[in-house]
Amino acid sequence: MNYTFDFNAVSLGPLIEGLVVTVQLTIAANLIGVILGFPLALLLMSRLAVIRWPATLFVEFFRCTPAIVQIVWFFYCVPMLFNVFLGSVTMGILALGLNLMAFNAEAYRAAIQAVPREQIDAGIALGLNPLQRVFHIVLPSALRASVPVLLTNGIVIFQQSALVAIVAVQDLMYQAKTLATETYRPIETFTIAALIYFAVSFPVSQVVGWLERRRQILTS
């Protein structure tokens, strides 16, 4: 291979700017997924089919279709179908957020089902109504149990956010593609971009592992 590596030719400025956009996308998507995932889980567990089935269809749609298709659909189809014109960043946040919401709903549902029946019975004995039992008993227990899964899903969304580059969102991947084209240094540029993704994802994955181990110790 007759190729001379030159990492100095790659400017970190645009990549850092792209990383800021990527982090913003990730935070916004996680807020949507974490906050709205719980009520969606409750809808999934409803005894009424008219409520349960639409929620199930929503979850399965986002779980069973590629994220890149969802992003492209939001960017091109939403304006045409609903006459709603939003910025590409907003469309990216919505697509990633709803995708994460579906996956987090399943994590919440598993955690809700794991809440001991004794705690629910204690809430009933104390005179708590169903809504109070949800907020004071089910939500805290389910949130604690699902934290490792929520963090893992958050890492996945951070990585999947690279897909928004296809709709011209100037995230880390978009900046890397542009820089590689301008400098004719794709190997160096995408290597640095990959290292940046790794530098952000790896510490969070270690925290997830630590939380999981700690939970196993506390429950054993």
Side-chain angles (χ1 to χ4, degrees), residues 12-65:
L12 290 178
L15 296 180
I16 298 302
E17 293 175 4
L19 176 62
V20 171
V21 175
T22 294
V23 171
Q24 291 172 343
L25 286 168
T26 303
I27 292 174
N30 271 277
L31 286 175
I32 294 173
V34 171
I35 295 173
L36 298 183
F38 185 77
L40 180 58
L42 296 179
L43 296 180
L44 289 172
M45 301 177 67
S46 173
R47 296 179 180 179
L48 300 176
V50 70
I51 296 176
R52 185 175 66 254
W53 281 108
T56 301
L57 181 62
F58 175 90
V59 169
E60 293 305 322
F61 172 80
F62 280 95
R63 292 181 64 201
C64 299
T65 56

Side-chain angles (χ1 to χ4, degrees), residues 2-174:
N2 187 19
Y3 185 86
T4 303
F5 289 94
D6 185 9
F7 285 92
N8 292 326
V10 180
S11 174
L12 290 178
L15 296 180
I16 298 302
E17 293 175 4
L19 176 62
V20 171
V21 175
T22 294
V23 171
Q24 291 172 343
L25 286 168
T26 303
I27 292 174
N30 271 277
L31 286 175
I32 294 173
V34 171
I35 295 173
L36 298 183
F38 185 77
L40 180 58
L42 296 179
L43 296 180
L44 289 172
M45 301 177 67
S46 173
R47 296 179 180 179
L48 300 176
V50 70
I51 296 176
R52 185 175 66 254
W53 281 108
T56 301
L57 181 62
F58 175 90
V59 169
E60 293 305 322
F61 172 80
F62 280 95
R63 292 181 64 201
C64 299
T65 56
I68 191 171
V69 174
Q70 298 164 16
I71 292 169
V72 172
W73 193 91
F74 268 86
F75 187 79
Y76 290 106
C77 300
V78 168
M80 296 174 64
L81 293 175
F82 305 106
N83 199 32
V84 174
F85 298 90
L86 301 173
S88 56
V89 173
T90 304
M91 287 296 190
I93 289 172
L94 285 176
L96 293 173
L98 294 178
N99 177 283
L100 183 59
M101 177 179 163
F103 282 90
N104 283 354
E106 286 297 327
Y108 279 127
R109 179 164 68 167
I112 291 171
Q113 292 172 338
V115 175
R117 181 63 196 179
E118 292 79 7
Q119 295 184 14
I120 306 296
D121 293 338
I124 296 174
L126 290 172
L128 300 180
N129 61 44
L131 189 60
Q132 289 174 326
R133 293 198 297 271
V134 166
F135 280 102
H136 295 292
I137 298 175
V138 177
L139 177 57
S141 298
L143 188 59
R144 284 194 300 270
S146 57
V147 164
V149 180
L150 297 180
L151 288 175
T152 300
N153 290 345
I155 296 174
V156 172
I157 282 296
F158 171 72
Q159 296 166 350
Q160 286 187 340
S161 68
L163 298 174
V164 300
I166 197 173
V167 291
V169 176
Q170 297 183 11
D171 70 326
L172 176 56
M173 188 61 185
Y174 180 91

